């Protein structure tokens, strides 16, 4: 078994992890849950001995009677890949794009075993079959970029499990994948765990992922363990307030009091989106048909890369890379506004929040300085931010505050339609639910129409009056 | 962080001392830098002449002060011309792209494929020597590097979401270029200015060394190096002090630039 006792990690005298202690038994899958910055990845790196050099690590880490914490970095390295292996979040970057898939899996065998060429090849083909990939012979000679995201993650899992390690650490293994692929990956991890009797630590910010396959859950916050217990206990009767919040954020709740919506504010008919490459038009999706009614929040559900963002830009008038008709019955002048996904790049880093918020009014013209300032303060109040923020720069704000500012920018010019492109997917779950609350409040107060685009069904269900799937409105290529 | 601060402080002090020397030279120098005094020629450094005297008995310290001033003014003006033109070219080509970008960048390529000193020599040869021609020709030589740096920054920045936000806020192209994007290129601008300034100092020194920069009896650091090369073994101080001054000026600016970056 794996036992971690009194684990403390310090970076420059700041305690990143405080007294972490837990154990994982053979054949068990333990979920490590928390928001970004809670220390869950740090914990796993400490266990694997992969912390950066400026981090100091104290406490005991014992894996199968080996006291890892007493060994030097060099001694620990020989256990990596062999006894401990990792599955990372992004299968795109954890595979080397220039090496064939088969060779990459073989590399692990080369480093830790004395198998000859034939044996290695056989073993690789065998593990490719085990991770439920078809045509092992053909796949052996393919490059990572020829595979889909889900297939790549299976290859990463093959690499991680080919030596039947005692401990597998899976750090957000499904976050970069769409829902269905993610589920199948989780099932695969659970299946392998069952047949190999290894220990698995599954790290995730998403409680639903953990609920799927873990028998026990550890909830972390600010470098400490908040609560620990069996998955059933945690979900049915959480002891701590924080755990309850996390569970609430992912629970499947549908919006009450749905708005019916009036006339159409937007009609999209027979639109096809394309991008240009060397003068040639490549179609991303075609035959897109839908409309948005006045006062409603319409959700569009689609996986990443399907063309949702391109569509939102076309509707907002930021891109003319489309054919077909987009009929907007809103005023030409700033009638449509957008809220972007990443609040870190959607706010100009060299301007104060006050400047950013007053920009639409300045450009619109017809306001005195005093009026602009008053309006900005009013908007700050509406998005529930304090007035002090007026003179701050974006990098002094948290992700949630920034996204509130982004919503403020969209609101300040009194638009008739707001397009929100994954407005909460870059935020932590607890902040997510606050932003969603805000959006609902604004809908009630201002009766704006809104398109909300997301890959997350749970999020859409909570705020949207109507949800349509990308597949339903298009002949997508994906 | 501390390392950066140290660099900044050392760089800023060296630069400040040298600039102060150059400014003082406008009002006061220990001796007249251009008066010939044959009796006192080739004096080694002593109390009266701390950097010694040259082949005409002129005080080297006074000449270094004045030369420093001329070098800084010439390089400064050179950079001003190169930077202003390069900035505008870079902003527009980077932001708009398309045909204008293609044409301007090919001209840029052509300009930068000719060695800069050679190009300056050709221009001085065509339009006659003199400080003004020197400044203008060096300035033109420096346009491509600035334009390229700023253009690549603009290409990177223009696709960021805050630019789209600005477009949705109704900002026009000029406002987006100068008010929204340009301030975010601050780091590139500072470092390219300092690198450019250093190159201008060196270019001015090499042109004067080749005899086509500042004409005697006026002093510039490069011109002094040229004059002194004949007396290297007999009066080494004659070349050492102007040389050290150039090196110090450049080290000071480089440290200053490193310290300013990403703050």
């Amino acid at each position: 078994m794996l036992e971690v006792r009194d684990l403390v990690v310090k970076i420059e005298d700041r305690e990143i992890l405080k007294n972490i202690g837990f154990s994982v038994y053979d054949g068990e899958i333990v979920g490590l849950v928390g928001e970004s910055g809670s220390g869950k990845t740090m914990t796993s790196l400490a266990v694997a001995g992969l912390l950066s050099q400026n981090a100091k690590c104290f406490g005991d880490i014992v894996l199968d009677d080996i006291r890892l914490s007493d060994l030097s970095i060099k001694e620990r390295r020989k256990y990596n890949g062999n006894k401990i292996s990792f599955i990372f979040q992004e299968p795109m970057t954890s595979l080397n794009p220039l090496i064939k898939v088969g060779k990459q899996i073989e590399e692990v065998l080369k480093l830790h075993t004395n198998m000859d060429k034939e044996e290695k090849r056989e073993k690789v083909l065998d593990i490719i079959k085990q991770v439920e990939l078809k045509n092992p012979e053909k796949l052996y000679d393919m490059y990572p970029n020829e595979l889909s995201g889900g297939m790549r993650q299976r290859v990463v899992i093959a690499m991680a499990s080919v030596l039947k390690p005692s401990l597998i650490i899976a750090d957000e293994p499904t976050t970069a994948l769409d829902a269905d692929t993610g589920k199948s990956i989780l099932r695969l991890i659970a299946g392998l765990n069952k047949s190999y009797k290894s220990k698995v630590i599954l790290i995730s910010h998403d409680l639903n992922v953990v609920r799927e396959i873990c028998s026990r859950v550890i909830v972390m916050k600010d470098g400490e363990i908040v609560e620990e217990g069996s998955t059933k206990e945690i979900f049915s009767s959480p002891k701590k307030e924080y755990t309850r919040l996390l569970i609430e954020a992912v629970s499947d709740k549908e919006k009450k009091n749905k708005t019916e919506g009036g006339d159409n504010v937007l009609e999209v008919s027979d639109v096809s989106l394309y991008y240009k490459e060397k003068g040639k038009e490549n179609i991303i999706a075609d035959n897109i048909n839908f409309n948005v009614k006045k006062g409603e929040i319409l959700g569009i559900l689609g996986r990443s890369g399907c063309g949702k963002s391109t569509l939102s830009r076309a509707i907002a008038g930021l891109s003319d890379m489309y054919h077909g008709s987009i009929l907007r019955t809103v005023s030409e002048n700033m009638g449509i506004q957008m809220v972007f996904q990443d609040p870190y790049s959607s706010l100009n880093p060299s301007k104060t929040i006050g400047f950013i918020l007053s920009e639409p009014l300045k450009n619109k013209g017809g306001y005195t300085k005093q009026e602009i300032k008053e309006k900005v303060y009013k908007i700050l109040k509406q998005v529930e931010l304090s007035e002090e923020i007026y003179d701050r720069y974006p990098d002094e704000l948290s992700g949630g505050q920034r996204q509130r500012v982004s919503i403020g920018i969209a609101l300040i010019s009194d638009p008739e339609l707001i397009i929100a492109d994954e407005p909460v997917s870059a935020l932590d779950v607890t902040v997510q639910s606050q932003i969603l609350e805000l959006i609902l409040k604004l809908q009630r107060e201002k009766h704006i129409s809104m398109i909300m685009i997301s890959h997350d069904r749970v999020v859409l269900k909570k705020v949207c009056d109507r949800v349509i799937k990308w597949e339903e409105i298009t002949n997508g290529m994906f | 962080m501390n390392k950066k601060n140290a660099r900044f402080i050392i760089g800023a002090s060296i630069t400040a001392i040298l600039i102060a020397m150059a400014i003082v030279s406008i009002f006061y120098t220990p001796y007249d830098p251009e008066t010939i005094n044959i009796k006192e020629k080739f004096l080694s450094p002593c109390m009266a002449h701390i950097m010694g005297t040259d082949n005409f008995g002129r005080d080297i310290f006074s000449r270094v002060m004045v030369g420093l001033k001329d070098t800084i003014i010439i390089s400064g003006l050179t950079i001003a011309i190169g930077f202003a033109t390069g900035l505008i070219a870079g902003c527009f080509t980077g932001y708009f792209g398309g045909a204008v970008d293609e044409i301007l960048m090919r001209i840029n390529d052509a300009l930068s494929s000719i060695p800069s000193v050679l190009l300056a020599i050709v221009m001085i040869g065509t339009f006659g020597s003199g400080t003004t021609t020197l400044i203008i020709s060096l300035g033109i030589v420096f346009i491509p590097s600035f334009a390229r740096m700023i253009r690549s920054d603009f290409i990177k920045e223009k696709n960021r979401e805050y630019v789209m936000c600005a477009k949705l806020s109704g900002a026009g192209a000029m406002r987006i270029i100068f008010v929204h994007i340009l301030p975010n290129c601050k780091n590139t601008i500072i470092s390219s200015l300092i690198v450019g300034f250093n190159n201008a100092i060196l270019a001015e020194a090499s042109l004067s060394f080749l005899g086509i920069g500042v004409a005697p009896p006026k002093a510039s650091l490069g011109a002094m190096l040229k004059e002194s090369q004949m007396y290297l073994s007999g009066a080494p101080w004659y070349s050492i002090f102007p040389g050290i001054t150039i090196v110090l000026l450049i080290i000071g600016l480089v440290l200053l630039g490193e310290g300013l970056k990403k703050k």
Side-chain angles (χ1 to χ4, degrees):
Chain A
M1 66 181 235
L2 168 77
E3 201 171 2
V4 177
R5 273 190 307 257
D6 306 326
L7 177 68
V8 173
V9 172
K10 281 184 181 173
I11 294 179
E12 286 167 3
D13 291 334
R14 213 160 58 88
E15 271 195 7
I16 307 289
L17 294 181
K18 299 160 204 161
N19 277 326
I20 301 291
F22 64 92
S23 41
V24 185
Y25 299 96
D26 288 349
E28 193 183 28
I29 306 180
V30 170
L32 210 53
V33 196
E35 298 178 310
S36 58
S38 62
K40 49 194 198 309
T41 297
M42 205 50 104
T43 308
S44 68
L45 291 176
V47 169
L50 293 173
L51 288 171
S52 62
Q53 291 199 336
N54 60 351
K56 286 192 195 101
C57 184
F58 310 92
D60 295 333
I61 300 165
V62 184
L63 178 66
D64 303 337
D65 300 325
I66 307 164
R67 290 181 73 86
L68 291 174
S69 42
D70 290 349
L71 301 177
S72 71
I73 291 179
K74 212 172 166 187
E75 285 171 311
R76 288 181 81 163
R77 188 151 309 149
K78 69 171 187 253
Y79 292 113
N80 285 351
N82 192 358
K83 268 194 155 307
I84 304 175
S85 65
F86 253 98
I87 301 167
F88 290 104
Q89 172 173 358
E90 190 58 75
M92 201 77 137
T93 49
S94 48
L95 291 174
N96 186 330
L98 295 177
I99 301 177
K100 286 175 184 164
V101 167
K103 293 278 167 209
Q104 294 201 44
I105 304 176
E106 244 181 63
E107 180 74 13
V108 190
L109 298 173
K110 215 186 261 173
L111 290 172
H112 295 282
T113 66
N114 298 320
M115 291 183 190
D116 65 30
K117 225 175 160 187
E118 274 308 302
E119 280 175 325
K120 273 189 279 185
R121 190 180 161 89
E122 221 158 274
K123 183 100 186 163
V124 170
L125 293 178
D126 182 51
I127 195 76
I128 294 178
K129 249 180 260 161
Q130 297 234 18
V131 295
E132 294 157 21
L133 284 166
K134 287 176 198 125
N135 280 332
E137 299 277 344
K138 197 178 155 211
L139 201 93
Y140 189 94
D141 287 320
M142 281 165 90
Y143 288 96
N145 66 331
E146 296 174 86
L147 308 179
S148 72
M151 287 164 86
R152 283 195 203 118
Q153 197 63 298
R154 282 170 193 272
V155 172
V156 173
I157 293 173
M159 284 170 75
S161 52
V162 68
L163 285 172
K164 302 194 178 166
S166 160
L167 173 67
I168 298 177
I169 299 169
D171 191 351
E172 305 267 7
T174 60
T175 310
L177 307 171
D178 62 79
D180 295 340
T181 321
K183 267 198 183 135
S184 68
I185 292 287
L186 288 178
R187 270 199 297 270
L188 175 66
I189 294 176
L192 287 174
N193 172 65
K194 214 170 188 180
S195 52
Y196 289 174
K197 291 279 167 244
S198 54
K199 301 172 265 295
V200 176
I201 299 178
L202 179 73
I203 299 173
S204 183
H205 69 281
D206 188 346
L207 272 170
N208 279 340
V209 165
V210 168
R211 188 181 213 167
E212 199 98 8
I213 59 168
C214 294
S215 50
R216 257 184 325 127
V217 180
I218 298 168
V219 182
M220 290 189 70
K221 190 190 184 215
D222 301 329
E224 279 178 294
I225 292 180
V226 177
E227 191 170 354
E228 188 185 341
S230 75
T231 310
K232 224 173 156 189
E233 272 168 26
I234 294 271
F235 277 92
S236 59
S237 52
K239 290 187 194 76
K240 297 279 161 58
E241 175 68 16
Y242 182 71
T243 316
R244 210 181 50 72
L245 270 175
L246 282 180
I247 294 171
E248 199 160 281
V250 295
S251 58
D252 219 353
K253 257 194 298 187
E254 209 162 327
K255 182 181 182 181
K256 288 175 213 148
N257 312 325
K258 288 189 181 173
T259 313
E260 255 306 311
D263 302 338
N264 286 347
V265 282
L266 182 79
E267 281 170 38
V268 175
S269 36
D270 291 329
V271 164
S272 59
L273 303 165
Y274 62 89
Y275 66 97
K276 265 193 180 153
E277 200 177 49
K278 289 173 194 156
K280 238 182 70 189
E281 287 178 11
N282 292 307
I283 303 282
I284 303 168
D286 66 355
N287 253 320
I288 304 173
N289 287 292
F290 69 96
N291 50 44
V292 185
K293 295 193 181 100
K294 199 171 169 57
E296 74 168 350
I297 300 184
L298 172 73
I300 299 180
L301 179 68
R303 56 183 68 173
S304 60
C306 69
K308 298 173 297 196
S309 299
T310 319
L311 176 69
S312 59
R313 269 153 219 192
I315 295 174
L318 288 171
S319 151
D320 52 5
M321 307 273 247
Y322 68 91
H323 303 296
S325 114
I326 295 178
L327 190 68
R328 313 172 182 90
T329 50
V330 297
S331 71
E332 279 292 306
N333 194 6
M334 294 184 229
I336 299 182
Q337 289 295 320
M338 272 186 83
V339 176
F340 294 92
Q341 170 175 5
D342 184 3
Y344 286 85
S345 83
S346 59
L347 301 181
N348 192 336
S350 64
K351 298 281 182 277
T352 62
I353 301 303
F355 181 96
I356 295 174
L357 278 170
S358 49
E359 183 70 4
L361 301 178
K362 272 188 222 153
N363 289 324
K364 215 171 184 178
Y367 297 96
T368 63
K369 267 193 177 157
Q370 193 54 38
E371 279 171 347
I372 289 179
K373 211 166 177 177
E374 272 165 24
K375 261 196 114 141
V376 170
Y377 279 129
K378 208 176 121 195
I379 281 289
L380 280 177
K381 204 170 167 191
Q382 271 177 358
V383 295
E384 294 159 5
L385 287 170
S386 72
E387 292 191 353
E388 295 155 30
I389 278 179
Y390 192 90
D391 292 313
R392 300 250 185 96
Y393 286 91
D395 59 2
E396 297 169 50
L397 308 185
S398 70
Q401 286 175 317
R402 284 171 194 235
Q403 201 57 301
R404 282 171 194 273
V405 173
S406 295
I407 294 174
I409 304 171
L411 283 176
I412 202 161
S413 51
D414 290 323
E416 284 148 87
L417 176 64
I418 292 180
I419 306 165
D421 185 1
E422 301 272 8
V424 294
S425 64
L427 304 172
D428 284 328
V429 271
T430 41
V431 183
Q432 250 182 31
S433 47
Q434 290 161 11
I435 295 286
L436 295 178
E437 280 297 315
L438 174 69
I439 290 177
L440 285 176
K441 188 193 95 175
L442 292 170
Q443 188 200 15
R444 279 195 303 273
E445 288 172 1
K446 301 198 130 192
H447 306 291
I448 36 166
S449 326
M450 189 163 181
I451 303 175
M452 191 147 143
I453 300 175
S454 180
H455 70 282
D456 192 338
R457 197 178 44 86
V458 177
V459 164
L460 289 182
K461 261 177 122 178
K462 273 181 198 160
V463 287
C464 296
D465 303 304
R466 192 153 63 95
V467 178
I468 46 179
K469 283 192 188 141
W470 183 256
E471 293 80 25
E472 289 168 7
I473 55 164
T474 164
N475 291 335
M477 308 281 123
F478 292 89
Chain B
M1 200 63 209
N2 269 331
K3 220 173 180 178
K4 218 160 217 181
N5 269 336
R7 279 190 196 143
F8 178 78
I9 291 167
I10 296 172
S13 0
I14 295 177
T15 314
I17 292 172
L18 290 175
I19 288 179
M21 264 171 70
I23 292 173
V24 168
S25 79
I26 300 172
F27 314 104
Y28 167 80
T29 50
Y31 296 87
D32 183 73
E34 285 172 24
T35 309
I36 296 172
N37 184 356
I38 295 298
K39 267 191 282 178
E40 290 197 337
K41 79 172 182 183
F42 291 135
L43 287 182
S44 55
C46 56
M47 285 309 283
H49 300 279
I50 52 169
M51 289 186 184
T53 60
D54 66 4
N55 52 331
F56 292 111
R58 298 173 293 197
D59 180 43
I60 292 179
F61 182 61
S62 307
R63 284 182 68 76
V64 164
M65 279 174 78
V66 175
L68 190 60
K69 179 198 74 185
D70 284 349
T71 300
I72 289 175
I73 289 176
I74 292 172
S75 328
L77 288 175
T78 300
I79 288 307
I81 293 174
F83 177 68
T85 324
L87 178 82
I88 294 187
C91 285
F92 283 92
T93 53
Y95 185 75
F96 290 110
V100 186
D101 178 39
E102 279 296 317
I103 294 167
L104 276 174
M105 278 301 125
R106 292 301 82 80
I107 294 176
N108 225 337
D109 287 341
L111 260 179
S112 44
S113 63
I114 306 168
S116 53
V117 172
L118 185 68
L119 189 66
I121 291 174
V122 170
M123 291 194 61
I124 290 168
T126 318
F127 301 108
S129 70
T131 317
T132 321
T133 331
L134 179 71
I135 290 170
I136 293 173
S137 49
L138 277 180
I140 292 173
V141 168
F142 278 103
I143 295 172
S145 61
F146 283 122
R148 212 179 293 271
M149 295 278 265
I150 290 170
R151 174 176 175 268
S152 66
D153 249 30
F154 260 74
I155 289 175
K156 198 175 71 207
E157 294 286 329
K158 77 172 174 187
N159 291 320
R160 306 246 329 242
E161 282 171 349
Y162 74 83
V163 177
M164 272 182 240
C165 232
K167 277 184 196 163
L168 285 172
S169 305
M174 291 303 136
R175 191 168 169 84
I176 288 177
I177 290 176
F178 293 108
V179 180
H180 289 272
I181 300 183
L182 197 56
N184 290 309
C185 307
K186 192 181 71 194
N187 273 329
T188 310
I189 290 175
I190 291 175
S191 53
S192 66
L193 263 181
I194 283 181
V195 172
F197 198 64
N198 283 337
N199 289 338
I201 291 169
L202 290 176
E204 186 275 329
S206 17
L207 285 180
S208 298
F209 184 80
L210 292 172
I212 44 177
V214 177
K218 289 192 95 170
S220 103
L221 295 173
M224 288 176 74
L225 279 181
K226 183 205 173 221
E227 288 165 350
S228 68
Q229 59 172 329
M230 285 186 290
Y231 314 106
L232 255 181
S233 53
W237 58 86
Y238 189 4
S239 49
I240 285 173
F241 288 112
I244 285 179
T245 315
I246 294 178
V247 172
L248 274 180
L249 186 57
I250 286 172
I251 289 178
L253 283 168
V254 168
L255 289 178
L256 186 66
E258 291 279 316
L260 278 175
K261 234 184 252 172
K262 282 231 167 137
K263 242 185 152 180

